[in-house]
Amino acid sequence: MKIALLGYGKMGKIIEKIAISRKHEIVLTIDHDTLDDLTVENLQKADVVIDFTMPASVLGNIKHCFDAGVPIVVGTTGWYDQIPQIKQLCEQSNNTLLYGSNFSVGVNIFFHVNRLLAKVMNSYPYYDVQVEEIHHTQKLDSPSGTAITIAEGILDNLETKSEWVNVLTTDDKHDDDTVSNNQLLIESLRIDSVPGTHTVIYDSEVDTIEFKHTAHNRNGFALGAVLAAEWVIGKKGFYSVDAMFDFK
């Protein structure tokens, strides 16, 4: 495939390396120094676009790709309140978009098992549950998109919780951690050089059950994004990343 990369930071460079190792070609890279190259004409040189940018720019990037008629895989988070409008625009213009909070194969297995576990734990209400996520200090959003997806999987299957709330802890800051019984706590910690660790904790007076995913580096996220780009070729419509996976 010919791939355009929107966002050419650490993730973009790893995606480039993995894509090339899978015999694909990078025909366009866009970062803050090359924004003038983000044109319909340049986008049309690609078979597919992969976006790992910022919430402030992702909606404009999506619309550029729709104008160009090129499928886009969106790994950027922080724009999900706009999903209904973007989905409508995608379908009306006969375009293709696949988005996800995390493209890692391991994380998507984790998402699936998390939903199954929450369904099981619904029969045992004396266990309380919370989500903990740890990322590097350069991560700007809190909670992570991955943690939100985990929390939503729990909320969909556990009757004792009705909404999630976030508490952010850094070296010099700790948010108020008052949480009601019906609220699912997502505790976010920011620690240098941690690619991403997510833990679901079910706790009772007699024991604790922990379900954890630890990323050793960004390679799993990048490989998943390239696999998503391969999967989306030839398709039309609006997809979330779980459409790629056939979990029974």
Side-chain angles (χ1 to χ4, degrees):
M1 300 182 302
K2 295 181 178 180
I3 300 174
L5 296 177
L6 307 188
Y8 197 54
K10 292 178 181 179
M11 272 296 294
K13 290 180 173 65
I14 298 172
I15 290 170
E16 178 182 48
K17 181 179 179 181
I18 290 175
I20 291 172
S21 76
R22 295 176 67 84
K23 311 303 182 185
H24 303 307
E25 180 185 357
I26 306 301
V27 296
L28 179 67
T29 59
I30 300 293
D31 61 15
H32 62 278
D33 294 323
T34 58
L35 290 177
D36 289 343
D37 293 334
L38 184 56
T39 65
V40 166
E41 182 180 5
N42 283 338
L43 289 170
Q44 287 176 337
K45 297 174 182 176
D47 300 311
V48 63
V49 174
I50 300 176
D51 183 293
F52 275 85
T53 56
M54 301 289 288
S57 57
V58 66
L59 295 178
N61 293 343
I62 290 170
K63 291 173 182 176
H64 277 305
C65 290
F66 287 176
D67 290 341
V70 181
I72 179 170
V73 172
V74 182
T76 306
T77 59
W79 61 276
Y80 292 166
D81 59 328
Q82 299 294 311
I83 281 178
Q85 296 93 315
I86 295 298
K87 180 180 180 181
Q88 182 179 28
L89 182 61
C90 178
E91 293 173 346
Q92 286 178 345
S93 58
N94 194 33
N95 273 292
T96 307
L97 184 151
L98 187 149
Y99 75 96
S101 61
N102 197 311
F103 287 92
S104 161
V105 173
V107 167
N108 280 278
I109 293 171
F110 187 95
F111 288 158
H112 177 66
V113 177
N114 172 62
R115 292 190 290 268
L116 297 178
L117 179 57
K119 191 175 296 186
V120 170
M121 297 305 293
N122 195 48
S123 299
Y124 305 97
Y126 45 85
Y127 283 91
D128 198 13
V129 61
Q130 75 172 66
V131 177
E132 178 188 88
E133 59 105 342
I134 308 173
H135 281 88
H136 50 86
T137 52
Q138 288 75 41
K139 186 170 181 60
L140 300 178
D141 57 325
S142 170
S144 68
T146 302
I148 292 173
T149 301
I150 292 168
E152 289 174 345
I154 294 170
L155 295 175
D156 288 343
N157 293 282
L158 200 66
E159 295 175 1
T160 56
K161 301 295 183 182
S162 60
E163 62 178 356
W164 61 263
V165 294
N166 183 229
V167 171
L168 174 64
T169 300
T170 60
D171 290 340
D172 57 357
K173 178 183 177 183
H174 181 83
D175 287 349
D176 181 16
D177 58 358
T178 302
V179 179
S180 301
N181 288 336
N182 69 315
Q183 293 178 321
L184 172 61
L185 172 64
I186 304 176
E187 185 174 6
S188 300
L189 295 93
R190 296 293 173 259
I191 299 172
D192 280 341
S193 303
V194 177
T197 300
H198 294 84
T199 309
V200 178
I201 304 166
Y202 288 91
D203 189 53
S204 75
E205 291 184 359
V206 297
D207 59 10
T208 300
I209 301 168
E210 292 191 359
F211 180 47
K212 177 185 284 190
H213 179 275
T214 302
H216 301 310
N217 50 53
R218 292 181 172 89
N219 292 7
F221 312 141
L223 173 60
V226 176
L227 293 174
E230 293 172 356
W231 182 87
V232 85
I233 291 294
K235 295 180 174 65
K236 291 290 185 181
F238 188 87
Y239 302 93
S240 62
V241 67
D242 56 358
M244 291 172 50
F245 299 96
D246 185 20
F247 296 128
K248 301 298 185 182

